[in-house]
Amino acid sequence: MHTGEGQLLELYYETERAAARILCPPLLIPAPGQYLLAHDGSDTPLAVPVFPAGPAADGFLAASSLPRAWTPGTQLHLRGPLGRGFSLPITARRVALLAWDDSPARLLALLPAAFKQDAAVTLVCQTAPRDLPPEVEVQPLQALAETLAWADFLAVDAGRESLPGLRSKLGERNQAAAEIQVLVRTQMPCGTLAECGVCAVRIRGGWKMACKDGPVFDWRELRG
Ligand code: FES
């Protein structure tokens, strides 16, 4: 874990692909599913978790949501990378990305690694970004069953409050499905520093903290 200075360079109008481009030292760039805590030096007491949406020159593309007060040129105090991110199996050749209830941006950070190992990629989402690489096939949420039958790895982005719905959708396919990892979005006000417990996620037989044990969890822990 490192600390350093960064800068918000660009904001994007359409946030489905990415919300901003952030300049930062290479050691601070989070891996897919990991995050940085960013603070703008204002009176706001809490830092903001910032997730990567993909690589960019001298930094990375950041997924939404970012504070409205951040504008191009905003200086950021950064801490990270934090948390456990996605672990794409090197054998995966049919990669599915499921944006269950939000923008797919956090999942799109996996594209370079998937393409590097010659995997085919299908994105299942409600609203697809316009500027996806042409190799990415896009399917609506209604096509989830077919995509699950095809994939050998599934990465999911879901809010903590949406996990019951995800469980009921994926539950009956637990045995047949590919390896599944889920990025659980929660508030993470302290980012491990104060052990506040706000980010607690119920797992099989107990609780874990999204900020340090996640935010990416193996589906077998979450499915209940
Ligand atoms: S955010 Fe405080 S313990 Fe996770």
Side-chain angles (χ1 to χ4, degrees):
M1 201 269 290
H2 305 274
T3 58
E5 300 304 306
Q7 186 181 33
L8 191 148
L9 285 185
E10 285 183 281
L11 276 177
Y12 303 124
Y13 180 66
E14 289 186 16
T15 58
E16 296 297 328
R17 176 66 188 87
R21 182 158 72 93
I22 290 181
L23 176 78
C24 75
L27 283 174
L28 281 164
I29 297 174
Q34 288 189 305
Y35 63 99
L36 291 178
L37 281 179
H39 194 276
D40 60 7
S42 68
D43 293 341
T44 311
L46 297 177
V48 175
V50 177
F51 285 86
D58 300 322
F60 65 98
L61 297 176
S64 59
S65 306
L66 303 178
R68 290 186 180 195
W70 291 9
T71 55
T74 298
Q75 297 290 327
L76 299 170
H77 310 294
L78 303 172
R79 182 165 69 88
L82 295 165
R84 197 177 71 160
F86 288 107
S87 177
L88 179 67
I90 56 169
T91 54
R93 293 295 179 271
R94 296 181 304 281
V95 172
L97 310 175
L98 169 59
W100 179 245
D101 56 3
D102 198 29
S103 149
R106 285 167 288 268
L107 298 171
L108 298 178
L110 281 164
L111 290 182
F115 290 151
K116 193 173 176 188
Q117 59 191 52
D118 291 326
V121 178
T122 295
L123 170 64
V124 181
C125 63
Q126 203 65 52
T127 309
R130 288 190 198 167
D131 51 353
L132 282 177
E135 304 95 307
V136 178
E137 182 179 330
V138 178
Q139 293 287 349
L141 289 173
Q142 291 81 354
L144 177 57
E146 292 83 346
T147 305
L148 272 174
W150 165 83
D152 57 16
F153 175 74
L154 173 65
V156 185
D157 183 316
R160 180 175 54 183
E161 66 285 354
S162 299
L163 290 178
L166 188 65
R167 286 187 187 103
S168 65
K169 195 71 181 178
L170 298 183
E172 66 271 23
R173 299 184 179 87
N174 281 342
Q175 304 307 320
E179 178 173 345
I180 301 175
Q181 296 170 15
V182 183
L183 191 164
V184 180
R185 300 188 324 275
T186 71
Q187 291 189 327
M188 296 191 289
C190 83
T192 74
L193 283 182
E195 301 191 355
C196 66
V198 169
C199 66
V201 175
R202 186 170 66 83
I203 60 156
R204 286 191 148 200
W207 296 84
K208 281 196 171 178
M209 298 302 139
C211 67
K212 65 180 169 98
D213 304 316
V216 175
F217 293 90
D218 188 297
W219 177 240
R220 289 168 295 188
E221 286 184 288
L222 295 173
R223 69 189 189 197

